[in-house]
Amino acid sequence: MKVAVIGPGAMGLLYGAKLSKVADVVLIGNNAEHISQINENSVTIKREGKGEVYDVKAVVSGEAAEAADPAKKSPKNETANKAYKDAGLLK
């Protein structure tokens, strides 16, 4: 199963990381520095003093929040569609 999580903030990282154990997950965000940090350092979730590292792919898209449906194609969603294609989620 392929899953795209738009908005890798606190909750997006949590859900994306946990889902990565059972699905092919890509995080889509618009902050290039944040995306770079995710790709370089992975995602670590700490709970009760223990940390678990999740290797999740992240891509940059300035319009990702407008692309709720990856199959929808329009000029407005061109950047988001490119991010989906780069992540292998859209042909």
Side-chain angles (χ1 to χ4, degrees):
M1 174 171 43
K2 294 182 179 183
V3 177
V5 177
I6 299 173
M11 296 309 295
L13 287 174
L14 176 64
Y15 286 110
K18 293 293 187 176
L19 283 169
S20 73
K21 293 292 186 181
V22 296
D24 182 16
V25 175
V26 64
L27 304 170
I28 301 174
N30 61 5
N31 182 327
E33 185 177 330
H34 188 206
I35 296 299
S36 178
Q37 289 287 329
I38 293 168
N39 286 325
E40 291 173 16
N41 302 314
S42 301
V43 176
T44 302
I45 297 178
K46 295 181 181 178
R47 183 177 176 158
E48 298 176 0
K50 298 178 183 178
E52 187 169 356
V53 178
Y54 299 83
D55 189 27
V56 183
K57 181 178 180 179
V59 295
V60 176
S61 176
E63 298 177 6
E66 295 179 20
D69 182 357
K72 183 178 178 182
K73 293 186 178 185
S74 72
K76 188 175 185 181
N77 292 329
E78 186 175 324
T79 303
N81 286 330
K82 182 181 181 320
Y84 282 116
K85 286 178 185 176
D86 291 346
L89 297 172
L90 184 66
K91 294 181 181 182

Coordinates of all heavy atoms in Angstrom, one line a residue:
M1 N 0.8 -1.2 0.0 CA 0.0 0.0 0.0 C 0.9 1.2 0.0 O 1.9 1.3 0.7 CB -0.9 0.0 1.2 CG -1.7 1.2 1.4 SD -3.0 1.2 2.7 CE -2.2 0.4 4.1
K2 N 0.5 2.3 -0.7 CA 1.2 3.5 -0.8 C 0.4 4.6 -0.1 O -0.8 4.7 -0.3 CB 1.5 3.9 -2.2 CG 2.4 3.0 -2.9 CD 2.7 3.4 -4.3 CE 3.6 2.5 -5.0 NZ 4.0 2.9 -6.4
V3 N 1.1 5.4 0.8 CA 0.4 6.4 1.5 C 1.2 7.7 1.4 O 2.4 7.7 1.6 CB 0.3 6.0 3.0 CG1 -0.3 7.1 3.9 CG2 -0.4 4.7 3.2
A4 N 0.5 8.8 1.1 CA 1.1 10.1 1.1 C 0.6 10.9 2.3 O -0.7 11.0 2.5 CB 0.8 10.9 -0.2
V5 N 1.4 11.5 3.1 CA 1.0 12.3 4.3 C 1.4 13.7 3.9 O 2.6 14.0 3.8 CB 1.7 11.8 5.6 CG1 1.3 12.8 6.7 CG2 1.4 10.4 5.9
I6 N 0.4 14.6 3.8 CA 0.6 16.0 3.5 C 0.7 16.8 4.8 O -0.2 16.8 5.5 CB -0.5 16.5 2.5 CG1 -0.5 15.7 1.3 CG2 -0.3 18.0 2.3 CD1 -1.7 16.0 0.3
G7 N 1.9 17.4 4.9 CA 2.1 18.2 6.1 C 2.8 17.4 7.2 O 2.2 16.9 8.1
P8 N 4.2 17.4 7.1 CA 5.0 16.6 8.1 C 5.3 17.4 9.3 O 6.4 17.6 9.7 CB 6.2 16.3 7.3 CG 6.4 17.4 6.4 CD 5.0 17.8 6.0
G9 N 4.2 17.9 10.0 CA 4.3 18.5 11.3 C 4.4 17.4 12.4 O 4.6 16.2 12.1
A10 N 4.0 17.7 13.6 CA 4.0 16.8 14.7 C 3.2 15.6 14.4 O 3.6 14.4 14.5 CB 3.6 17.4 16.0
M11 N 1.9 15.8 14.0 CA 1.0 14.7 13.8 C 1.3 14.0 12.5 O 1.2 12.7 12.4 CB -0.5 15.2 13.8 CG -0.9 15.7 15.1 SD -0.5 14.6 16.5 CE -1.6 13.3 16.2
G12 N 1.7 14.7 11.4 CA 2.0 14.1 10.2 C 3.2 13.2 10.3 O 3.3 12.1 9.7
L13 N 4.2 13.6 11.1 CA 5.4 12.8 11.3 C 5.0 11.5 12.1 O 5.5 10.4 11.8 CB 6.5 13.5 12.1 CG 7.2 14.6 11.3 CD1 8.2 15.4 12.2 CD2 8.0 14.0 10.1
L14 N 4.2 11.7 13.1 CA 3.8 10.6 13.9 C 3.1 9.5 13.1 O 3.4 8.3 13.1 CB 2.9 11.0 15.1 CG 2.3 9.9 16.0 CD1 3.4 9.2 16.7 CD2 1.3 10.5 17.0
Y15 N 2.0 10.0 12.4 CA 1.2 9.0 11.6 C 2.1 8.4 10.4 O 2.0 7.2 10.1 CB 0.0 9.7 11.0 CG -1.1 9.8 12.1 CD1 -1.4 11.1 12.6 CD2 -1.7 8.7 12.7 CE1 -2.4 11.2 13.6 CE2 -2.7 8.9 13.7 CZ -3.0 10.1 14.1 OH -3.9 10.3 15.1
G16 N 2.8 9.3 9.8 CA 3.7 8.8 8.7 C 4.7 7.8 9.1 O 4.9 6.7 8.5
A17 N 5.3 8.0 10.2 CA 6.3 7.1 10.8 C 5.7 5.8 11.1 O 6.2 4.7 10.8 CB 7.0 7.7 12.0
K18 N 4.6 5.8 11.9 CA 3.9 4.6 12.3 C 3.4 3.8 11.1 O 3.5 2.6 11.1 CB 2.8 4.9 13.3 CG 3.2 5.4 14.6 CD 4.0 4.4 15.4 CE 4.3 4.9 16.8 NZ 4.9 3.9 17.6
L19 N 2.9 4.5 10.1 CA 2.3 3.8 8.9 C 3.5 3.2 8.1 O 3.3 2.2 7.4 CB 1.5 4.8 8.1 CG 0.1 5.1 8.5 CD1 -0.4 6.3 7.8 CD2 -0.8 3.9 8.4
S20 N 4.7 3.8 8.2 CA 5.8 3.3 7.4 C 6.2 1.8 7.7 O 6.9 1.2 7.0 CB 7.0 4.2 7.5 OG 7.6 4.0 8.8
K21 N 5.7 1.3 8.9 CA 6.0 0.0 9.3 C 5.1 -1.0 8.4 O 5.5 -2.2 8.3 CB 5.7 -0.3 10.7 CG 6.6 0.4 11.7 CD 8.0 -0.2 11.6 CE 8.9 0.5 12.6 NZ 10.3 -0.1 12.5
V22 N 4.0 -0.5 7.9 CA 3.1 -1.4 7.1 C 2.8 -0.9 5.7 O 2.1 -1.6 4.9 CB 1.8 -1.7 7.8 CG1 2.0 -2.4 9.2 CG2 1.1 -0.4 8.1
A23 N 3.4 0.2 5.3 CA 3.1 0.8 4.0 C 4.3 1.6 3.5 O 5.2 1.9 4.2 CB 1.8 1.7 4.1
D24 N 4.2 1.8 2.2 CA 5.2 2.7 1.5 C 4.8 4.1 1.7 O 3.8 4.6 1.1 CB 5.3 2.3 0.1 CG 6.4 3.1 -0.7 OD1 7.2 3.7 0.0 OD2 6.3 3.1 -1.9
V25 N 5.4 4.9 2.6 CA 5.0 6.2 3.0 C 5.9 7.3 2.4 O 7.1 7.1 2.4 CB 4.9 6.4 4.5 CG1 4.5 7.8 4.9 CG2 3.9 5.4 5.1
V26 N 5.3 8.4 2.0 CA 6.1 9.6 1.6 C 5.4 10.8 2.3 O 4.2 10.9 2.3 CB 6.1 9.8 0.1 CG1 4.8 10.0 -0.5 CG2 7.1 10.9 -0.2
L27 N 6.2 11.6 2.9 CA 5.8 12.8 3.5 C 5.9 14.0 2.5 O 7.0 14.1 1.9 CB 6.6 13.1 4.8 CG 6.7 12.0 5.9 CD1 7.7 12.4 6.9 CD2 5.3 11.8 6.5
I28 N 4.9 14.8 2.4 CA 5.0 15.9 1.5 C 4.8 17.2 2.2 O 3.8 17.4 2.9 CB 3.9 15.8 0.4 CG1 4.1 14.5 -0.4 CG2 3.9 17.0 -0.6 CD1 2.9 14.2 -1.3
G29 N 5.8 18.1 2.1 CA 5.8 19.4 2.8 C 6.3 20.5 2.0 O 6.9 20.3 0.9
N30 N 6.2 21.7 2.5 CA 6.7 22.9 1.7 C 7.9 23.6 2.3 O 8.4 24.5 1.8 CB 5.6 23.9 1.5 CG 5.0 24.4 2.8 OD1 5.5 24.2 3.9 ND2 4.0 25.2 2.7
N31 N 8.4 23.0 3.4 CA 9.6 23.6 4.0 C 10.8 22.8 3.6 O 11.1 21.7 4.2 CB 9.4 23.6 5.6 CG 10.6 24.3 6.3 OD1 11.7 24.2 5.9 ND2 10.3 24.9 7.4
A32 N 11.6 23.3 2.7 CA 12.7 22.5 2.1 C 13.7 22.1 3.2 O 14.3 21.0 3.2 CB 13.4 23.3 1.0
E33 N 14.0 22.9 4.2 CA 15.0 22.6 5.2 C 14.4 21.5 6.1 O 15.2 20.6 6.5 CB 15.2 23.9 6.1 CG 16.3 23.6 7.1 CD 16.6 24.9 7.9 OE1 16.5 26.0 7.4 OE2 17.0 24.7 9.1
H34 N 13.2 21.5 6.4 CA 12.5 20.5 7.3 C 12.6 19.2 6.5 O 12.9 18.1 7.1 CB 11.1 20.9 7.6 CG 10.4 20.0 8.6 ND1 9.1 19.9 8.6 CD2 10.9 19.2 9.6 CE1 8.7 19.1 9.6 NE2 9.8 18.6 10.2
I35 N 12.2 19.2 5.2 CA 12.2 18.0 4.4 C 13.6 17.4 4.4 O 13.8 16.2 4.5 CB 11.7 18.3 3.0 CG1 10.2 18.7 3.1 CG2 11.9 17.1 2.1 CD1 9.3 17.7 3.6
S36 N 14.6 18.2 4.2 CA 16.0 17.8 4.1 C 16.4 17.1 5.4 O 17.1 16.1 5.4 CB 16.9 19.0 3.8 OG 18.3 18.6 3.8
Q37 N 16.0 17.7 6.6 CA 16.3 17.1 7.9 C 15.7 15.7 8.0 O 16.3 14.8 8.6 CB 15.8 18.0 9.0 CG 16.6 19.3 9.2 CD 17.9 19.1 9.8 OE1 18.1 18.2 10.6 NE2 18.9 19.9 9.4
I38 N 14.5 15.6 7.6 CA 13.8 14.3 7.6 C 14.6 13.2 6.8 O 14.8 12.1 7.3 CB 12.3 14.4 7.2 CG1 11.5 15.2 8.1 CG2 11.7 13.0 7.0 CD1 10.2 15.7 7.6
N39 N 14.9 13.6 5.6 CA 15.6 12.7 4.7 C 17.0 12.3 5.2 O 17.5 11.2 5.0 CB 15.7 13.2 3.3 CG 14.4 13.2 2.6 OD1 13.6 12.2 2.8 ND2 14.1 14.1 1.8
E40 N 17.7 13.3 5.8 CA 19.0 13.0 6.3 C 19.1 12.3 7.7 O 19.9 11.4 7.9 CB 19.8 14.4 6.5 CG 20.1 15.0 5.2 CD 20.7 16.4 5.4 OE1 21.1 16.8 6.5 OE2 20.7 17.2 4.4
N41 N 18.1 12.6 8.5 CA 18.1 12.0 9.9 C 17.0 11.0 10.2 O 17.0 10.5 11.3 CB 18.0 13.2 10.9 CG 19.2 14.2 10.7 OD1 20.3 13.8 10.6 ND2 18.8 15.5 10.7
S42 N 16.1 10.7 9.3 CA 15.0 9.9 9.5 C 14.1 10.5 10.6 O 14.2 11.7 10.9 CB 15.4 8.5 10.0 OG 16.2 7.9 9.0
V43 N 13.1 9.8 11.1 CA 12.2 10.3 12.1 C 12.4 9.4 13.4 O 12.3 8.2 13.3 CB 10.7 10.2 11.6 CG1 9.8 10.6 12.7 CG2 10.6 11.1 10.4
T44 N 12.6 10.1 14.5 CA 12.7 9.4 15.8 C 11.5 9.7 16.6 O 11.3 10.9 16.9 CB 14.0 9.7 16.5 OG1 15.1 9.4 15.6 CG2 14.2 9.0 17.8
I45 N 10.8 8.7 17.1 CA 9.7 8.9 18.0 C 10.1 8.4 19.4 O 10.5 7.3 19.5 CB 8.4 8.2 17.5 CG1 8.0 8.9 16.2 CG2 7.3 8.4 18.6 CD1 6.8 8.2 15.6
K46 N 10.1 9.3 20.4 CA 10.5 8.9 21.7 C 9.2 8.8 22.6 O 8.3 9.6 22.6 CB 11.4 10.0 22.3 CG 12.7 10.1 21.6 CD 13.6 11.1 22.2 CE 14.9 11.2 21.4 NZ 15.8 12.2 21.9
R47 N 9.3 7.7 23.4 CA 8.2 7.5 24.3 C 8.7 6.7 25.5 O 9.4 5.7 25.4 CB 7.1 6.6 23.6 CG 5.9 6.4 24.5 CD 4.8 5.7 23.8 NE 3.7 5.4 24.8 CZ 2.5 5.2 24.5 NH1 2.2 5.2 23.2 NH2 1.6 4.9 25.4
E48 N 8.4 7.2 26.7 CA 8.8 6.6 27.9 C 10.3 6.3 28.0 O 10.8 5.3 28.4 CB 8.1 5.3 28.2 CG 6.6 5.5 28.3 CD 5.7 4.3 28.5 OE1 6.3 3.2 28.5 OE2 4.5 4.4 28.6
G49 N 11.1 7.3 27.5 CA 12.6 7.2 27.5 C 13.2 6.4 26.4 O 14.4 6.3 26.3
K50 N 12.4 5.8 25.6 CA 12.9 5.0 24.5 C 12.6 5.7 23.1 O 11.5 6.2 23.0 CB 12.3 3.6 24.5 CG 12.6 2.8 25.8 CD 11.9 1.5 25.7 CE 12.2 0.7 27.0 NZ 11.5 -0.6 27.1
G51 N 13.6 5.6 22.2 CA 13.4 6.2 20.9 C 13.4 5.1 19.8 O 14.1 4.1 19.9
E52 N 12.5 5.2 18.9 CA 12.4 4.3 17.7 C 12.6 5.2 16.5 O 12.0 6.2 16.3 CB 11.1 3.6 17.7 CG 11.1 2.5 16.6 CD 9.8 1.6 16.8 OE1 9.1 1.7 17.7 OE2 9.7 0.7 15.9
V53 N 13.5 4.7 15.6 CA 13.8 5.4 14.4 C 13.0 4.8 13.2 O 13.0 3.6 13.0 CB 15.3 5.4 14.1 CG1 15.6 6.1 12.8 CG2 16.1 6.0 15.2
Y54 N 12.4 5.7 12.4 CA 11.6 5.3 11.2 C 12.3 6.0 10.0 O 12.5 7.2 10.0 CB 10.2 5.8 11.3 CG 9.5 5.2 12.5 CD1 9.6 5.8 13.8 CD2 8.6 4.1 12.4 CE1 8.9 5.2 14.9 CE2 8.0 3.6 13.5 CZ 8.1 4.1 14.7 OH 7.5 3.6 15.8
D55 N 12.6 5.2 9.0 CA 13.1 5.7 7.7 C 12.0 6.0 6.8 O 11.4 5.1 6.2 CB 14.1 4.7 7.1 CG 14.8 5.3 6.0 OD1 15.0 6.5 5.9 OD2 15.2 4.5 5.1
V56 N 11.6 7.3 6.7 CA 10.5 7.7 5.9 C 11.0 8.7 4.8 O 11.8 9.6 5.1 CB 9.4 8.4 6.7 CG1 8.2 8.8 5.9 CG2 9.0 7.5 7.9
K57 N 10.6 8.5 3.6 CA 10.9 9.4 2.5 C 10.1 10.7 2.6 O 8.9 10.7 2.9 CB 10.7 8.8 1.1 CG 11.1 9.6 0.0 CD 10.9 8.9 -1.3 CE 11.3 9.8 -2.5 NZ 11.2 9.1 -3.8
A58 N 10.7 11.9 2.3 CA 10.0 13.1 2.3 C 10.4 13.9 1.0 O 11.5 13.9 0.6 CB 10.4 13.9 3.5
V59 N 9.4 14.6 0.5 CA 9.6 15.4 -0.7 C 9.0 16.8 -0.5 O 8.1 17.0 0.3 CB 9.0 14.8 -2.0 CG1 9.7 13.5 -2.3 CG2 7.5 14.6 -1.8
V60 N 9.5 17.8 -1.2 CA 9.1 19.2 -1.1 C 8.0 19.4 -2.2 O 8.1 19.1 -3.3 CB 10.2 20.2 -1.3 CG1 9.7 21.6 -1.3 CG2 11.3 20.0 -0.3
S61 N 7.0 20.1 -1.7 CA 5.9 20.6 -2.7 C 5.3 21.9 -2.1 O 4.7 21.8 -1.0 CB 4.8 19.5 -2.9 OG 3.8 20.1 -3.7
G62 N 5.4 23.0 -2.8 CA 4.9 24.2 -2.3 C 3.4 24.3 -2.3 O 2.8 25.1 -1.7
E63 N 2.7 23.4 -3.1 CA 1.3 23.4 -3.1 C 0.7 22.1 -2.6 O -0.5 21.7 -3.0 CB 0.8 23.6 -4.6 CG 1.3 25.0 -5.1 CD 0.9 25.2 -6.6 OE1 0.2 24.3 -7.1 OE2 1.3 26.1 -7.1
A64 N 1.4 21.3 -1.8 CA 0.9 20.0 -1.4 C -0.4 20.0 -0.7 O -1.2 19.1 -0.8 CB 2.0 19.3 -0.6
A65 N -0.6 21.1 0.1 CA -1.9 21.1 0.9 C -3.1 21.2 0.0 O -4.2 20.9 0.4 CB -1.8 22.3 1.8
E66 N -2.9 21.7 -1.3 CA -4.1 21.8 -2.2 C -4.4 20.5 -2.9 O -5.4 20.4 -3.7 CB -3.8 22.9 -3.2 CG -3.7 24.2 -2.6 CD -3.4 25.3 -3.6 OE1 -3.7 25.1 -4.8 OE2 -3.0 26.4 -3.2
A67 N -3.6 19.5 -2.8 CA -3.7 18.2 -3.6 C -4.2 17.1 -2.7 O -3.5 16.2 -2.4 CB -2.4 17.9 -4.2
A68 N -5.4 17.1 -2.3 CA -6.0 16.1 -1.4 C -6.1 14.8 -2.2 O -6.0 13.7 -1.7 CB -7.3 16.5 -0.8
D69 N -6.4 14.9 -3.5 CA -6.6 13.7 -4.4 C -5.4 13.6 -5.3 O -5.3 14.4 -6.3 CB -7.9 13.9 -5.1 CG -8.2 12.7 -6.0 OD1 -7.4 11.7 -6.1 OD2 -9.3 12.7 -6.6
P70 N -4.5 12.6 -5.2 CA -3.3 12.5 -6.1 C -3.7 12.2 -7.5 O -2.9 12.5 -8.4 CB -2.5 11.4 -5.5 CG -3.5 10.6 -4.7 CD -4.6 11.6 -4.2
A71 N -4.9 11.7 -7.8 CA -5.3 11.5 -9.2 C -5.8 12.7 -9.9 O -5.9 12.8 -11.1 CB -6.3 10.4 -9.2
K72 N -6.2 13.7 -9.1 CA -6.7 14.9 -9.7 C -5.6 15.7 -10.3 O -4.6 16.1 -9.7 CB -7.4 15.8 -8.6 CG -8.0 17.0 -9.1 CD -8.7 17.8 -7.9 CE -9.3 19.1 -8.4 NZ -9.9 19.8 -7.3
K73 N -5.7 16.1 -11.6 CA -4.7 16.8 -12.3 C -5.3 18.2 -12.7 O -6.3 18.2 -13.4 CB -4.2 16.1 -13.5 CG -3.5 14.8 -13.1 CD -2.9 14.2 -14.3 CE -2.1 12.9 -13.9 NZ -1.4 12.3 -15.0
S74 N -4.6 19.2 -12.4 CA -5.0 20.6 -12.8 C -3.7 21.4 -12.7 O -2.8 21.1 -12.0 CB -6.1 21.1 -11.9 OG -5.6 21.4 -10.7
P75 N -3.7 22.6 -13.4 CA -2.5 23.5 -13.3 C -2.3 23.9 -11.8 O -1.2 24.1 -11.4 CB -2.9 24.6 -14.2 CG -3.9 24.1 -15.1 CD -4.6 23.0 -14.4
K76 N -3.4 24.0 -11.1 CA -3.3 24.5 -9.7 C -2.5 23.4 -8.9 O -1.8 23.8 -7.9 CB -4.7 24.6 -9.2 CG -4.8 25.2 -7.8 CD -6.2 25.4 -7.4 CE -6.4 26.1 -6.1 NZ -7.8 26.3 -5.8
N77 N -2.6 22.2 -9.2 CA -2.0 21.1 -8.5 C -0.7 20.6 -9.1 O -0.2 19.5 -8.8 CB -2.9 20.0 -8.2 CG -4.1 20.4 -7.3 OD1 -3.9 21.2 -6.4 ND2 -5.2 19.8 -7.6
E78 N -0.2 21.3 -10.1 CA 1.0 20.8 -10.8 C 2.2 20.4 -9.9 O 2.8 19.4 -10.1 CB 1.4 21.8 -11.9 CG 2.5 21.4 -12.8 CD 2.8 22.4 -13.9 OE1 1.9 23.0 -14.4 OE2 4.0 22.5 -14.2
T79 N 2.5 21.3 -9.0 CA 3.6 21.0 -8.1 C 3.4 19.8 -7.2 O 4.2 19.0 -7.0 CB 3.9 22.3 -7.2 OG1 4.1 23.4 -8.0 CG2 5.1 22.0 -6.3
A80 N 2.2 19.7 -6.7 CA 1.8 18.5 -5.9 C 1.9 17.2 -6.7 O 2.4 16.2 -6.3 CB 0.5 18.7 -5.2
N81 N 1.4 17.3 -7.9 CA 1.4 16.1 -8.8 C 2.8 15.7 -9.1 O 3.2 14.5 -9.1 CB 0.7 16.4 -10.1 CG -0.8 16.4 -9.9 OD1 -1.4 15.7 -9.0 ND2 -1.6 17.1 -10.7
K82 N 3.8 16.7 -9.3 CA 5.2 16.4 -9.5 C 5.7 15.7 -8.2 O 6.5 14.7 -8.3 CB 6.0 17.6 -9.8 CG 7.4 17.3 -10.0 CD 8.2 18.5 -10.3 CE 9.7 18.3 -10.6 NZ 10.3 17.3 -9.8
A83 N 5.4 16.1 -7.0 CA 5.8 15.5 -5.8 C 5.3 14.1 -5.7 O 6.1 13.2 -5.3 CB 5.4 16.3 -4.6
Y84 N 4.1 13.8 -6.1 CA 3.5 12.5 -6.1 C 4.3 11.6 -7.0 O 4.6 10.5 -6.7 CB 2.0 12.5 -6.4 CG 1.1 12.9 -5.3 CD1 0.4 14.0 -5.4 CD2 1.0 12.1 -4.1 CE1 -0.5 14.4 -4.4 CE2 0.2 12.5 -3.1 CZ -0.6 13.6 -3.2 OH -1.4 14.0 -2.2
K85 N 4.6 12.1 -8.2 CA 5.3 11.4 -9.3 C 6.7 11.0 -8.8 O 7.2 9.9 -8.9 CB 5.3 12.1 -10.6 CG 4.0 12.1 -11.3 CD 4.1 12.9 -12.6 CE 2.8 13.0 -13.2 NZ 2.8 13.9 -14.4
D86 N 7.4 12.0 -8.2 CA 8.7 11.8 -7.7 C 8.8 10.8 -6.6 O 9.8 10.1 -6.5 CB 9.3 13.2 -7.1 CG 9.6 14.2 -8.2 OD1 9.6 13.8 -9.4 OD2 9.8 15.3 -7.9
A87 N 7.7 10.7 -5.8 CA 7.6 9.7 -4.8 C 7.1 8.4 -5.2 O 7.1 7.4 -4.5 CB 6.7 10.2 -3.6
G88 N 6.8 8.3 -6.5 CA 6.3 7.0 -7.1 C 4.9 6.7 -6.8 O 4.4 5.6 -6.9
L89 N 4.1 7.7 -6.4 CA 2.7 7.5 -6.0 C 1.7 7.8 -7.1 O 0.5 7.5 -7.0 CB 2.3 8.3 -4.8 CG 3.1 8.0 -3.5 CD1 2.8 9.0 -2.4 CD2 2.8 6.6 -3.0
L90 N 2.2 8.4 -8.2 CA 1.4 8.8 -9.3 C 2.2 8.6 -10.6 O 3.3 8.9 -10.7 CB 0.9 10.2 -9.2 CG 0.0 10.8 -10.2 CD1 -1.4 10.1 -10.0 CD2 -0.2 12.3 -10.0
K91 N 1.5 8.0 -11.6 CA 2.2 7.8 -12.9 C 1.9 8.9 -13.8 O 1.0 9.6 -13.8 CB 1.8 6.4 -13.5 CG 2.2 5.3 -12.6 CD 1.8 4.0 -13.2 CE 2.2 2.9 -12.4 NZ 1.9 1.6 -12.9

